[in-house]
Amino acid sequence: MRPVNLLPQSARPYVASGKAGGGSYIVIGVLAALVLGVAGYVLTTNQITTRKNDIAQANQQASQAQSKTASLQKYGDFTQVAAARIQSVGSLATSRIDYERLLRETSRVLPGGVWVTSLDAEATGGSTSSTSATTPTTDPSASATPSVHLIGCAPSHKTVAATLVRLRAIHGSDDVQLNSSSKALKLAAGGSGGSAGGADCGNNVSFDILVNLTDEVTGFGDQGQKVPATLGGGS
């Protein structure tokens, strides 16, 4: 005999049938998609935040580096200034004329009774030719080599000639050039006229001499070379 369950349907215990409706799968799929979307959003947000933090840190490091560079810039400028000064001093040292030696030798070679009212020495070019002891004028034909320009007085023209010869003994002398040699003219009233040479020599002869020097008198070429004893140097 087949048993009959007399309990109403609502009071009967639930027994799984093993079948599920399509709606359940849809709900589960939607929930899974939402979970994946939220996870992706969180990961993307975290990556963006991390990148922003890295950028902010890099900017901060760049600012610190710029500040440090600015604080050290003065040392770089000082180094450049020091290098420029060393180069300038070296250039002057290699293109100067030894005035101490030049004056010593000039005083030794000048004949007796000769005195100099003006002496100019230039290491490169621009040699001057003067008509007076106070207002030198540039000689456009002057050589670009080192030179010494002397204006002075001598007892006679013969002494001026001797001065030209003796100036050749100066260290590095290459050529001695006489620009002028003149004696003041006596006036009828007993006075004397002006001197054509530019120096106030009275009744003596005024001269204007240019001594051209070789390049060896400048720079390191003549360093260590002593002044000859005949020109006042040590033994």
Side-chain angles (χ1 to χ4, degrees), residues 107 109-116 152-156 159-160 162-163 205 207 209:
S107 64
V109 300
L110 290 178
V114 175
W115 70 93
V116 175
C153 305
S156 63
T159 308
V160 174
T163 303
V205 176
F207 61 82
I209 298 175

Side-chain angles (χ1 to χ4, degrees), residues 9-183:
Q9 188 68 29
S10 59
R12 294 178 183 180
Y14 176 79
V15 178
S17 62
K19 298 180 179 180
S24 300
Y25 290 110
I26 293 174
V27 172
I28 293 173
V30 171
L31 291 176
L34 289 175
V35 171
L36 291 176
V38 170
Y41 174 77
V42 172
L43 291 175
T44 303
T45 303
N46 290 338
Q47 289 179 354
I48 293 174
T49 302
T50 302
R51 299 288 174 80
K52 288 182 177 179
N53 292 335
D54 292 341
I55 292 173
Q57 184 178 4
N59 290 334
Q60 183 179 4
Q61 292 177 352
S63 299
Q64 293 176 353
Q66 290 177 355
S67 300
K68 187 175 182 180
T69 301
S71 65
L72 297 176
Q73 183 64 33
K74 57 183 180 181
Y75 297 102
D77 295 340
F78 176 78
T79 301
Q80 293 179 356
V81 171
R85 289 181 178 177
I86 292 174
Q87 183 178 3
S88 177
V89 172
S91 177
L92 292 175
T94 57
S95 62
R96 69 180 183 86
I97 288 181
D98 190 344
Y99 281 93
E100 187 275 335
R101 177 172 187 165
L102 174 62
L103 294 176
R104 179 186 297 182
E105 294 183 351
T106 302
S107 64
R108 288 282 179 168
V109 300
L110 290 178
V114 175
W115 70 93
V116 175
T117 60
S118 173
L119 187 149
D120 297 322
E122 295 190 4
T124 55
S127 302
T128 58
S129 177
S130 302
T131 56
S132 67
T134 57
T135 57
T137 58
T138 302
D139 182 4
S141 63
S143 173
T145 58
S147 61
V148 182
H149 183 214
L150 300 96
I151 296 176
C153 305
S156 63
H157 290 290
K158 183 178 180 180
T159 308
V160 174
T163 303
L164 292 173
V165 175
R166 299 191 65 175
L167 284 175
R168 293 181 180 275
I170 293 178
H171 171 66
S173 177
D174 183 51
D175 180 53
V176 180
Q177 171 185 333
L178 178 63
N179 293 332
S180 65
S181 177
S182 60
K183 189 173 183 179

